[in-house]
Amino acid sequence: MKKQAHSHPNYQGFVDEVEQYFATSTELIHDARNQIKNIDFEGESLTVKSFKVPHLLNRVVYSFFRQSKAQKSYLFAEKIGSFTPEPIAYIEYYQHGLISKSYFVAKHYAFDFDIRRPLLEPDFPDRTLIFKSFAAFVYQLHEHNILHLDLSPGNILIKRDDEGQYQFKIVDINRMKFGSLSAKQRAKNFSKLWANNEDLTVMLLEYATLAAYDQDLFVQRGLQANQRNKNIINFKKRLKGHPVND
């Protein structure tokens, strides 16, 4: 099995043995289509994402026509800098000339919670401050011409600093767009949070204030995009006979 990788030199020993490190780690933090583990390497905690082996057609596509998800995660992390945990490496394994396993490695970010908790827990401390701070964070993303295409609750990590302020990092960044953004695109970017209208309005009003947008129009656009996203997801759930959540 052929391997190709790009990494910081200090972590070459980890990259060379990434499969062994990943297989023996017991600190599993996400287990769905892809797996994510925290792994100790020479006293430092690293977060490693193992991507599911694509089906045959996508193995061809990712081998010859597109960058792999691991490579995109690494390159996008380098591009957006402090908005995401620091990237360390991406590693790709090839079998019979086609991509097989792949990994993305970043420095572990010791976050306190993700944004799901304040969205789902009405009594969560500092909810309003968190939502306003998050709106300011997204505004800075957009001002740097960064559009995260999967800005969903599990991809937004939050840490409370010593001064009581909230710091944010985005993860799962292999789906991004870069370029100047319209007000409509900016408002729509909040739609995957699955927030209720009251909480989302707090975010949209804060964003509109920072951007000097018409507040009523911006909130209207954001709420409409939010409801459209919910309608689409719930329609798909109904087709599969799954319960819906409005």
Side-chain angles (χ1 to χ4, degrees):
M1 183 179 286
K2 178 184 174 184
K3 180 182 76 173
Q4 66 180 43
H6 182 85
S7 68
H8 290 260
N10 292 346
Y11 299 92
Q12 192 59 50
F14 181 83
V15 169
D16 290 342
E17 302 293 338
V18 66
E19 287 187 295
Q20 180 66 18
Y21 276 105
F22 197 86
T24 56
S25 171
T26 58
E27 195 175 344
L28 181 66
I29 60 175
H30 181 78
D31 188 11
R33 182 175 66 249
N34 307 308
Q35 287 189 327
I36 303 176
K37 292 184 176 183
N38 286 335
I39 301 173
D40 181 78
F41 175 68
E42 297 183 353
E44 183 176 8
S45 183
L46 304 178
T47 299
V48 183
K49 184 172 186 176
S50 172
F51 290 92
K52 180 182 177 181
V53 178
H55 58 70
L56 181 58
L57 177 58
N58 277 350
R59 289 183 69 191
V60 173
V61 170
Y62 288 130
S63 298
F64 300 107
F65 303 107
R66 293 183 187 173
Q67 295 170 330
S68 71
K69 292 181 179 181
Q71 183 181 14
K72 284 194 290 185
S73 296
Y74 180 84
L75 296 177
F76 288 167
E78 284 200 319
K79 185 168 185 174
I80 70 175
S82 62
F83 290 111
T84 194
E86 183 179 344
I88 296 299
Y90 74 90
I91 307 102
E92 301 169 338
Y93 289 89
Y94 287 77
Q95 195 167 30
H96 306 300
L98 299 178
I99 194 167
S100 179
K101 296 180 181 179
S102 60
Y103 300 88
F104 169 61
V105 185
K107 289 189 176 182
H108 174 63
Y109 180 64
F111 64 99
D112 296 317
F113 52 90
D114 63 35
I115 206 169
R116 276 181 291 212
R117 290 195 58 195
L119 285 171
L120 295 176
E121 299 176 25
D123 297 324
F124 195 87
D126 287 343
R127 289 179 84 246
T128 299
L129 175 59
I130 290 168
F131 295 152
K132 288 184 175 182
S133 300
F134 175 65
F137 172 78
V138 176
Y139 175 70
Q140 286 302 315
L141 275 176
H142 293 169
E143 287 297 284
H144 284 79
N145 297 326
I146 300 167
L147 184 67
H148 193 321
L149 297 177
D150 190 12
L151 198 64
S152 53
N155 294 336
I156 301 156
L157 311 182
I158 306 174
K159 183 179 180 65
R160 188 176 187 270
D161 66 23
D162 294 338
E163 298 178 353
Q165 301 301 308
Y166 290 92
Q167 310 299 324
F168 300 82
K169 300 284 186 183
I170 51 172
V171 294
D172 199 6
I173 58 170
N174 58 282
R175 294 179 60 238
M176 309 275 284
K177 283 189 176 180
F178 302 95
S180 59
L181 303 170
S182 67
K184 184 175 181 180
Q185 287 176 302
R186 292 170 181 236
K188 183 182 177 182
N189 202 202
F190 290 85
S191 65
K192 291 193 176 182
L193 293 174
W194 207 274
N196 63 48
N197 286 351
E198 181 180 354
D199 293 340
L200 186 57
T201 296
V202 171
M203 301 179 203
L204 294 168
L205 282 173
E206 182 69 14
Y207 190 110
T209 299
L210 293 170
Y213 287 151
D214 180 287
Q215 292 185 339
D216 290 340
L217 179 59
F218 193 75
V219 169
Q220 180 185 35
R221 283 172 168 167
L223 294 180
Q224 287 176 345
N226 187 48
Q227 191 58 52
R228 278 196 300 271
N229 181 65
K230 290 181 177 180
N231 291 344
I232 291 169
I233 299 299
N234 282 333
F235 176 72
K236 292 178 180 178
K237 287 183 177 180
R238 291 187 180 98
L239 287 179
K240 295 177 180 179
H242 297 164
V244 301
N245 181 8
D246 296 322

PDB file of all heavy atoms in Angstrom, residues 24-40:
ATOM      1  N   THR A  24      -4.807   1.934  18.006  1.00  0.00           N
ATOM      2  CA  THR A  24      -4.631   1.616  19.419  1.00  0.00           C
ATOM      3  C   THR A  24      -5.204   2.676  20.356  1.00  0.00           C
ATOM      4  O   THR A  24      -5.338   2.424  21.557  1.00  0.00           O
ATOM      5  CB  THR A  24      -3.137   1.422  19.749  1.00  0.00           C
ATOM      6  OG1 THR A  24      -2.412   2.604  19.371  1.00  0.00           O
ATOM      7  CG2 THR A  24      -2.580   0.224  18.996  1.00  0.00           C
ATOM      8  N   SER A  25      -5.569   3.846  19.833  1.00  0.00           N
ATOM      9  CA  SER A  25      -6.148   4.887  20.685  1.00  0.00           C
ATOM     10  C   SER A  25      -7.557   4.501  21.114  1.00  0.00           C
ATOM     11  O   SER A  25      -8.353   3.987  20.319  1.00  0.00           O
ATOM     12  CB  SER A  25      -6.202   6.221  19.946  1.00  0.00           C
ATOM     13  OG  SER A  25      -6.939   7.176  20.693  1.00  0.00           O
ATOM     14  N   THR A  26      -7.874   4.762  22.365  1.00  0.00           N
ATOM     15  CA  THR A  26      -9.210   4.461  22.892  1.00  0.00           C
ATOM     16  C   THR A  26     -10.042   5.725  23.109  1.00  0.00           C
ATOM     17  O   THR A  26     -11.185   5.637  23.556  1.00  0.00           O
ATOM     18  CB  THR A  26      -9.094   3.706  24.228  1.00  0.00           C
ATOM     19  OG1 THR A  26      -8.349   4.505  25.155  1.00  0.00           O
ATOM     20  CG2 THR A  26      -8.395   2.371  24.035  1.00  0.00           C
ATOM     21  N   GLU A  27      -9.476   6.883  22.802  1.00  0.00           N
ATOM     22  CA  GLU A  27     -10.197   8.138  23.048  1.00  0.00           C
ATOM     23  C   GLU A  27     -10.981   8.544  21.803  1.00  0.00           C
ATOM     24  O   GLU A  27     -10.628   9.474  21.071  1.00  0.00           O
ATOM     25  CB  GLU A  27      -9.233   9.251  23.469  1.00  0.00           C
ATOM     26  CG  GLU A  27      -9.953  10.440  24.066  1.00  0.00           C
ATOM     27  CD  GLU A  27      -9.011  11.508  24.600  1.00  0.00           C
ATOM     28  OE1 GLU A  27      -7.816  11.222  24.780  1.00  0.00           O
ATOM     29  OE2 GLU A  27      -9.484  12.628  24.841  1.00  0.00           O
ATOM     30  N   LEU A  28     -12.073   7.826  21.568  1.00  0.00           N
ATOM     31  CA  LEU A  28     -12.929   8.078  20.411  1.00  0.00           C
ATOM     32  C   LEU A  28     -13.894   9.202  20.744  1.00  0.00           C
ATOM     33  O   LEU A  28     -14.648   9.119  21.718  1.00  0.00           O
ATOM     34  CB  LEU A  28     -13.698   6.803  20.049  1.00  0.00           C
ATOM     35  CG  LEU A  28     -14.638   6.863  18.848  1.00  0.00           C
ATOM     36  CD1 LEU A  28     -13.865   7.066  17.555  1.00  0.00           C
ATOM     37  CD2 LEU A  28     -15.467   5.577  18.776  1.00  0.00           C
ATOM     38  N   ILE A  29     -13.901  10.266  19.943  1.00  0.00           N
ATOM     39  CA  ILE A  29     -14.793  11.398  20.218  1.00  0.00           C
ATOM     40  C   ILE A  29     -15.881  11.564  19.168  1.00  0.00           C
ATOM     41  O   ILE A  29     -16.806  12.349  19.359  1.00  0.00           O
ATOM     42  CB  ILE A  29     -13.987  12.706  20.369  1.00  0.00           C
ATOM     43  CG1 ILE A  29     -13.202  13.028  19.095  1.00  0.00           C
ATOM     44  CG2 ILE A  29     -13.060  12.635  21.558  1.00  0.00           C
ATOM     45  CD1 ILE A  29     -12.487  14.374  19.156  1.00  0.00           C
ATOM     46  N   HIS A  30     -15.784  10.829  18.075  1.00  0.00           N
ATOM     47  CA  HIS A  30     -16.842  10.873  17.054  1.00  0.00           C
ATOM     48  C   HIS A  30     -16.787   9.570  16.269  1.00  0.00           C
ATOM     49  O   HIS A  30     -15.723   9.145  15.834  1.00  0.00           O
ATOM     50  CB  HIS A  30     -16.646  12.060  16.108  1.00  0.00           C
ATOM     51  CG  HIS A  30     -17.698  12.177  15.049  1.00  0.00           C
ATOM     52  ND1 HIS A  30     -18.955  12.687  15.299  1.00  0.00           N
ATOM     53  CD2 HIS A  30     -17.687  11.824  13.740  1.00  0.00           C
ATOM     54  CE1 HIS A  30     -19.665  12.659  14.179  1.00  0.00           C
ATOM     55  NE2 HIS A  30     -18.921  12.137  13.228  1.00  0.00           N
ATOM     56  N   ASP A  31     -17.957   8.949  16.105  1.00  0.00           N
ATOM     57  CA  ASP A  31     -18.005   7.672  15.407  1.00  0.00           C
ATOM     58  C   ASP A  31     -19.249   7.615  14.545  1.00  0.00           C
ATOM     59  O   ASP A  31     -20.325   7.219  14.991  1.00  0.00           O
ATOM     60  CB  ASP A  31     -17.998   6.517  16.419  1.00  0.00           C
ATOM     61  CG  ASP A  31     -17.841   5.159  15.742  1.00  0.00           C
ATOM     62  OD1 ASP A  31     -17.535   5.131  14.533  1.00  0.00           O
ATOM     63  OD2 ASP A  31     -18.044   4.131  16.421  1.00  0.00           O
ATOM     64  N   ALA A  32     -19.124   8.052  13.314  1.00  0.00           N
ATOM     65  CA  ALA A  32     -20.233   8.011  12.367  1.00  0.00           C
ATOM     66  C   ALA A  32     -19.653   7.574  11.019  1.00  0.00           C
ATOM     67  O   ALA A  32     -18.974   6.564  10.942  1.00  0.00           O
ATOM     68  CB  ALA A  32     -20.918   9.380  12.285  1.00  0.00           C
ATOM     69  N   ARG A  33     -19.930   8.338   9.973  1.00  0.00           N
ATOM     70  CA  ARG A  33     -19.339   8.000   8.678  1.00  0.00           C
ATOM     71  C   ARG A  33     -17.813   8.032   8.763  1.00  0.00           C
ATOM     72  O   ARG A  33     -17.124   7.174   8.209  1.00  0.00           O
ATOM     73  CB  ARG A  33     -19.842   8.970   7.605  1.00  0.00           C
ATOM     74  CG  ARG A  33     -19.304   8.667   6.211  1.00  0.00           C
ATOM     75  CD  ARG A  33     -19.924   9.564   5.158  1.00  0.00           C
ATOM     76  NE  ARG A  33     -19.545  10.956   5.336  1.00  0.00           N
ATOM     77  CZ  ARG A  33     -20.369  11.930   5.722  1.00  0.00           C
ATOM     78  NH1 ARG A  33     -21.621  11.643   6.007  1.00  0.00           N
ATOM     79  NH2 ARG A  33     -19.968  13.172   5.848  1.00  0.00           N
ATOM     80  N   ASN A  34     -17.295   9.040   9.464  1.00  0.00           N
ATOM     81  CA  ASN A  34     -15.865   9.140   9.721  1.00  0.00           C
ATOM     82  C   ASN A  34     -15.630   9.006  11.224  1.00  0.00           C
ATOM     83  O   ASN A  34     -16.554   9.200  12.024  1.00  0.00           O
ATOM     84  CB  ASN A  34     -15.327  10.491   9.231  1.00  0.00           C
ATOM     85  CG  ASN A  34     -15.686  10.765   7.783  1.00  0.00           C
ATOM     86  OD1 ASN A  34     -15.430   9.939   6.916  1.00  0.00           O
ATOM     87  ND2 ASN A  34     -16.291  11.914   7.515  1.00  0.00           N
ATOM     88  N   GLN A  35     -14.422   8.678  11.606  1.00  0.00           N
ATOM     89  CA  GLN A  35     -14.076   8.569  13.017  1.00  0.00           C
ATOM     90  C   GLN A  35     -13.065   9.638  13.410  1.00  0.00           C
ATOM     91  O   GLN A  35     -12.189   9.987  12.617  1.00  0.00           O
ATOM     92  CB  GLN A  35     -13.475   7.196  13.327  1.00  0.00           C
ATOM     93  CG  GLN A  35     -14.475   6.058  13.335  1.00  0.00           C
ATOM     94  CD  GLN A  35     -13.842   4.779  13.859  1.00  0.00           C
ATOM     95  OE1 GLN A  35     -12.654   4.516  13.657  1.00  0.00           O
ATOM     96  NE2 GLN A  35     -14.625   3.966  14.545  1.00  0.00           N
ATOM     97  N   ILE A  36     -13.202  10.143  14.643  1.00  0.00           N
ATOM     98  CA  ILE A  36     -12.266  11.133  15.169  1.00  0.00           C
ATOM     99  C   ILE A  36     -11.785  10.653  16.535  1.00  0.00           C
ATOM    100  O   ILE A  36     -12.594  10.252  17.384  1.00  0.00           O
ATOM    101  CB  ILE A  36     -12.918  12.524  15.300  1.00  0.00           C
ATOM    102  CG1 ILE A  36     -13.462  12.988  13.944  1.00  0.00           C
ATOM    103  CG2 ILE A  36     -11.908  13.537  15.841  1.00  0.00           C
ATOM    104  CD1 ILE A  36     -14.220  14.309  14.005  1.00  0.00           C
ATOM    105  N   LYS A  37     -10.467  10.706  16.738  1.00  0.00           N
ATOM    106  CA  LYS A  37      -9.877  10.315  18.007  1.00  0.00           C
ATOM    107  C   LYS A  37      -8.874  11.364  18.465  1.00  0.00           C
ATOM    108  O   LYS A  37      -8.224  12.011  17.637  1.00  0.00           O
ATOM    109  CB  LYS A  37      -9.165   8.964  17.890  1.00  0.00           C
ATOM    110  CG  LYS A  37     -10.080   7.771  17.666  1.00  0.00           C
ATOM    111  CD  LYS A  37      -9.289   6.466  17.651  1.00  0.00           C
ATOM    112  CE  LYS A  37     -10.204   5.261  17.518  1.00  0.00           C
ATOM    113  NZ  LYS A  37      -9.429   3.985  17.579  1.00  0.00           N
ATOM    114  N   ASN A  38      -8.758  11.509  19.784  1.00  0.00           N
ATOM    115  CA  ASN A  38      -7.662  12.271  20.365  1.00  0.00           C
ATOM    116  C   ASN A  38      -6.538  11.298  20.697  1.00  0.00           C
ATOM    117  O   ASN A  38      -6.776  10.243  21.307  1.00  0.00           O
ATOM    118  CB  ASN A  38      -8.109  13.003  21.621  1.00  0.00           C
ATOM    119  CG  ASN A  38      -8.974  14.212  21.318  1.00  0.00           C
ATOM    120  OD1 ASN A  38      -8.884  14.791  20.238  1.00  0.00           O
ATOM    121  ND2 ASN A  38      -9.816  14.593  22.257  1.00  0.00           N
ATOM    122  N   ILE A  39      -5.314  11.642  20.293  1.00  0.00           N
ATOM    123  CA  ILE A  39      -4.181  10.743  20.434  1.00  0.00           C
ATOM    124  C   ILE A  39      -2.992  11.507  21.018  1.00  0.00           C
ATOM    125  O   ILE A  39      -2.687  12.621  20.572  1.00  0.00           O
ATOM    126  CB  ILE A  39      -3.792  10.134  19.071  1.00  0.00           C
ATOM    127  CG1 ILE A  39      -4.984   9.360  18.473  1.00  0.00           C
ATOM    128  CG2 ILE A  39      -2.574   9.226  19.196  1.00  0.00           C
ATOM    129  CD1 ILE A  39      -4.741   8.866  17.061  1.00  0.00           C
ATOM    130  N   ASP A  40      -2.328  10.919  21.995  1.00  0.00           N
ATOM    131  CA  ASP A  40      -1.145  11.533  22.583  1.00  0.00           C
ATOM    132  C   ASP A  40       0.093  11.162  21.771  1.00  0.00           C
ATOM    133  O   ASP A  40       0.309   9.996  21.433  1.00  0.00           O
ATOM    134  CB  ASP A  40      -0.969  11.062  24.028  1.00  0.00           C
ATOM    135  CG  ASP A  40       0.248  11.698  24.676  1.00  0.00           C
ATOM    136  OD1 ASP A  40       0.150  12.874  25.068  1.00  0.00           O
ATOM    137  OD2 ASP A  40       1.297  11.024  24.770  1.00  0.00           O
TER     138      ASP A  40
END
